[in-house]
Amino acid sequence: MIEVQGLTRKYGGAVAVDALSFTVRPGQVTALIGPNGAGKSTALRLMLQLERGRGSTLFAGCRYRELRHPAREVGVWLGAEPADPRRRARTELRVAAAAHGIKRARVDEVLDLVGLAPVAGVRVGALSMGARGRLGIATALLGDPHTLILDEPSAGQDPEGARWLREFLRAYVSQGRTVLVAGHGLTELADCADHVLAMSRGRLWADEAVVDYRARAEGHEVFVRTPQVERLVELLRAEGLAVHVHGGTVLSVSADRARIGEIAFRNGVLLHELAQRETSVADAFCTVAARNRAATESRVRIDQARHFPRSAERAERRAAREDVKLAKRTKATADAYERLYDPTADVTSPPEGVIPASAASGPADTDASVSAIPGPAQASRSSDNRSPHRRPKRRRWLARSSDNDATPTDDDTRSRTRSDGVNV
């Protein structure tokens, strides 16, 4: 039995695992499920004392480092790649067996147990991902442990490998042993699990049997196949039920299967099929996550309003002001587009707030186009207003001759002649 109490791990200001506590009982497969980044792998490393953190984990009353022969009591595979991919599969297991003081004869036994005996002489780097996963499980089984902890064992497994994994874990716990399997493949893990531990954002949201966990999902869809589709749709909608038509003879109804059957029987509607879709673990997880997230946000708002009433009021006023600004900005943009694309609008009239150039030019005989162009003083004034902290750049002007085609003088000719009389 595994007893976990108050595991907590922080990375800077981020909380990876927050006060995690649960119990894994022997004789059943326990699945630690959750999305990527939920903290599952971190929790397993904390349990095995591979990372520092608060809390404790007991394996049959002892910590992992206090076990006399850890590999013979707790088999662990955390999804790590082999140290040397050039080794052969049999050699990899022999190295691990020698490190834990296990006989070499056990290597061939576990290779046959996980189905890797035909590829025992193949190099690890040449194996498929599913075969490497089986090799990791074989490494965890070397000491024939009573407790088995696996992280993402179904990763890379084909349908045949996933089926083998389910059957293997069921046979393993049938001997009264303990199995804890972690991963984000909710459906694959729940098919072979008896108990579910659902994690998200470092917290434990559910700790219950698989049957009870599936029942948490809202909505039960019933698929109905009948030749009298239109008649049954009218009857069900008259009862206030939501009906969706799939194809010509199939309906899906969000209601109880018995109620739909009674409605069809009372009105003489022939049914060919009446099946209720079983709620998946993924649907249950999404439902539980949504409920817990809403409850957490509501609790945070209540605590903030209770302890920091002024901060909550300021946040509400700030949000209201932002909404007003957004509404004004949206209305102004809509008005501008309406003026731009309105065929009845006067194109010659300037937009609102812009003074025509003719009005700003003064007398009528002044050219409007010239008056609209800002002069040097205006340009310098506008540039000063834009960047008053900058000083104007000093430009060095080179003295140039005003007449480039002028004939050089005698002095210039003499200056360009060297002392030896040769022209440059």
Side-chain angles (χ1 to χ4, degrees), residues 150-170:
L150 305 175
D151 189 10
E152 300 283 358
S154 59
Q157 298 288 345
D158 55 4
E160 183 179 357
R163 180 180 179 182
W164 169 85
L165 180 63
R166 290 195 300 268
E167 294 176 354
F168 167 74
L169 294 179
R170 297 306 311 170

Side-chain angles (χ1 to χ4, degrees), residues 31-349:
L32 181 62
I33 62 176
N36 291 329
K40 305 181 298 298
S41 299
T42 305
L44 295 182
R45 295 179 65 84
L46 288 173
M47 292 169 58
L48 300 172
Q49 295 182 297
L50 299 178
E51 287 194 14
R52 294 182 179 180
R54 295 197 300 268
S56 63
T57 303
L58 301 180
F59 299 92
C62 301
R63 293 177 180 267
Y64 184 76
R65 292 186 179 181
E66 297 174 356
L67 298 176
R68 188 173 182 179
H69 300 288
R72 298 181 180 181
E73 299 184 31
V74 181
V76 179
W77 182 63
L78 300 181
E81 292 292 331
D84 190 355
R86 296 174 296 179
R87 291 177 182 167
R88 305 185 186 276
R90 182 182 288 108
T91 305
E92 183 73 16
L93 291 179
R94 285 178 177 176
V95 171
H100 296 288
I102 301 172
K103 297 181 179 180
R104 297 181 63 177
R106 178 63 180 171
V107 173
D108 296 330
E109 294 179 5
V110 296
L111 282 173
D112 189 31
L113 183 61
V114 299
L116 292 181
V119 294
V122 179
R123 299 187 185 276
V124 177
L127 296 176
S128 63
M129 184 178 295
R132 287 199 295 269
R134 293 196 183 195
L135 184 62
I137 297 175
T139 305
L141 295 173
L142 280 175
D144 194 18
H146 185 273
T147 302
L148 195 61
I149 298 178
L150 305 175
D151 189 10
E152 300 283 358
S154 59
Q157 298 288 345
D158 55 4
E160 183 179 357
R163 180 180 179 182
W164 169 85
L165 180 63
R166 290 195 300 268
E167 294 176 354
F168 167 74
L169 294 179
R170 297 306 311 170
Y172 199 80
V173 298
S174 64
Q175 304 174 7
R177 306 190 184 191
T178 305
V179 174
L180 176 62
V181 186
H184 64 274
L186 308 181
T187 304
E188 293 81 358
L189 294 178
D191 289 341
C192 63
D194 303 305
H195 201 82
V196 172
L197 302 171
M199 280 188 65
S200 183
R201 299 182 182 181
R203 294 185 178 183
L204 189 66
W205 285 3
D207 182 0
E208 56 195 4
V210 175
V211 178
D212 298 335
Y213 189 75
R214 289 178 186 264
R216 281 173 168 253
E218 295 179 347
H220 301 280
E221 279 191 337
V222 178
F223 290 91
V224 184
R225 189 183 300 275
T226 174
Q228 304 175 4
V229 176
E230 298 180 356
R231 173 63 175 164
L232 184 59
V233 168
E234 293 178 359
L235 295 173
L236 294 176
R237 289 179 176 173
E239 295 289 335
L241 301 179
V243 183
H244 302 280
V245 182
H246 304 278
T249 61
V250 180
L251 307 175
S252 62
V253 188
S254 299
D256 187 24
R257 181 171 49 183
R259 183 180 179 186
I260 298 174
E262 292 175 359
I263 295 173
F265 178 77
R266 287 197 309 264
N267 295 274
V269 178
L270 177 63
L271 299 181
H272 289 170
E273 183 181 359
L274 186 63
Q276 184 169 350
R277 183 179 68 90
E278 185 179 4
T279 304
S280 64
V281 179
D283 296 337
F285 181 83
C286 294
T287 302
V288 173
R291 291 178 181 175
N292 289 337
R293 192 178 298 113
T296 302
E297 294 176 356
S298 177
R299 184 166 58 253
V300 169
R301 287 196 299 268
I302 292 175
D303 293 342
Q304 185 178 7
R306 180 183 302 173
H307 299 288
F308 306 98
R310 294 185 179 180
S311 300
E313 293 176 0
R314 284 197 297 268
E316 293 179 359
R317 289 197 298 267
R318 189 182 304 109
R321 289 196 298 269
E322 292 296 334
D323 293 341
V324 171
K325 290 181 181 179
L326 180 60
K328 289 182 178 179
R329 194 179 305 114
T330 305
K331 184 177 183 303
T333 305
D335 294 344
Y337 273 98
E338 184 178 358
R339 288 196 304 269
L340 181 61
Y341 293 103
D342 188 5
T344 62
D346 187 6
V347 182
T348 59
S349 60

